[in-house]
Amino acid sequence: MTVDHAPPILAGPPAETAETAGTGASGASATVPPVLEPVVPAARRGGRIRSVPRWLRRTAGPLTLLVLWQVLSATGVLSPDTLASPGTVARAGADLIADGTLPSAMGISLRRVVVGLLVGGVAGITLALLSGLSRLGEDLIDATVQMLRTVPWVGLIPLFIIWLGIGEAPKVALIALGVAFHLYLNVYAGIRGVDAQLVEAGQALGLNRWGLIRHVVLPGALPGAMTGLRYSLATAWLALVFGESINADDGIGFLMNQAREFFRTDVIVVCLVVYAFLGLIADAAVRTLERLLLQWRPTFTGQ
């Protein structure tokens, strides 16, 4: 460091010396050494709670709820007619798996979600690209989509049955409709949220329109697209419940309706657990895909 770049001498109170402190020490020109405090890493400042493994902290809530449920059932506070105990639910789930009923229903429901997600995803992303990349496309598409998305898609079930019958088509159409709007909104917002300075920088570097879309716009819209995909998956399972509750002769929703007619709360809970389990797996898959595709974007992970 040169003299010109040396840090300025800060004006402040003079260092306390042994003489000024009145210690009476002889030869008192030496300063009192500062008291050093040990530096504690930020990861250790949370106390004992942070020392508990993370997987244990994440499972503490569900396990507490499960124990409370079992205690209420065992003490008779929660009657079996209102809600079966966890043990009864577990036995019902084992029986459904053993006779093949539950795996078959899961396969049929999963197939409906995948097909509906593909159809709705292609439609939503295509409309978002046309509307987000072009002002003419925005004028022609965005107003119509915004108007249609305000219509409760569950209310369209009677029309879907009239138009498409009572087979697989209305169920897939219902899932696709719920998925398409989420993807459209998030991809469109991601495209229009790209920093204009990045676009100007790309133009300055000589990128043509396709180069800008490929190297600037689409990577910038990817976080919004992944968020839309997570919302879409949640909506897909919700739409599946509605779709399979009406005129279905197989699938998890059909199993739930059958259990409702016989007051089998244990089977109903098993189906709900399966819905939650499949939803968690789908969300974990999207999170993994998000981490792989967005490695270039550092994010805040909490403290």
Side-chain angles (χ1 to χ4, degrees), residues 180-266:
F181 289 135
H182 281 300
L183 276 174
Y184 172 84
L185 291 176
N186 285 278
V187 174
Y188 173 79
I191 292 173
R192 291 305 174 95
V194 173
D195 193 348
Q197 293 182 351
L198 293 177
V199 178
E200 293 176 359
Q203 292 174 338
L205 292 173
L207 292 178
N208 55 17
R209 180 174 175 81
W210 169 243
L212 284 174
I213 293 174
R214 181 182 177 186
H215 297 290
V216 178
V217 177
L218 292 184
L222 198 54
M226 299 309 296
T227 303
L229 183 58
R230 293 182 66 183
Y231 279 116
S232 299
L233 280 172
T235 305
W237 290 109
L238 181 64
L240 179 70
V241 174
F242 284 108
E244 290 185 339
S245 300
I246 301 172
N247 292 326
D249 54 2
D250 48 20
I252 301 176
F254 171 72
L255 206 59
M256 288 181 65
N257 283 333
Q258 217 175 19
R260 183 197 60 194
E261 295 177 358
F262 294 99
F263 299 97
R264 292 287 305 272
T265 58
D266 51 349

Side-chain angles (χ1 to χ4, degrees), residues 54-77:
R54 192 179 180 191
W55 65 268
L56 189 58
R57 284 182 285 165
R58 291 174 68 90
T59 55
L63 289 177
T64 303
L65 188 63
L66 194 63
V67 170
L68 179 64
W69 179 12
Q70 180 63 43
V71 170
L72 292 177
S73 298
T75 55
V77 177

Side-chain angles (χ1 to χ4, degrees), residues 126-147 184-185 188-189 191-193 209:
T126 302
L127 291 175
L129 291 176
L130 293 175
S131 181
L133 298 175
S134 168
R135 291 184 180 177
L136 177 62
E138 181 184 12
D139 295 338
L140 295 176
I141 296 173
D142 188 63
T144 306
V145 175
Q146 297 295 341
M147 179 185 66
Y184 172 84
L185 291 176
Y188 173 79
I191 292 173
R192 291 305 174 95
R209 180 174 175 81

Side-chain angles (χ1 to χ4, degrees), residues 42-61 303:
R44 298 181 183 176
R45 295 175 185 170
R48 294 183 178 179
I49 296 178
R50 289 185 181 276
S51 63
V52 178
R54 192 179 180 191
W55 65 268
L56 189 58
R57 284 182 285 165
R58 291 174 68 90
T59 55
Q303 292 181 347

Side-chain angles (χ1 to χ4, degrees), residues 87-99 102-103 264 266-267 270 274:
T88 308
V89 172
R91 285 191 294 272
D95 293 339
L96 290 174
I97 293 174
D99 61 12
L102 190 58
R264 292 287 305 272
D266 51 349
V267 177
V270 168
V274 169

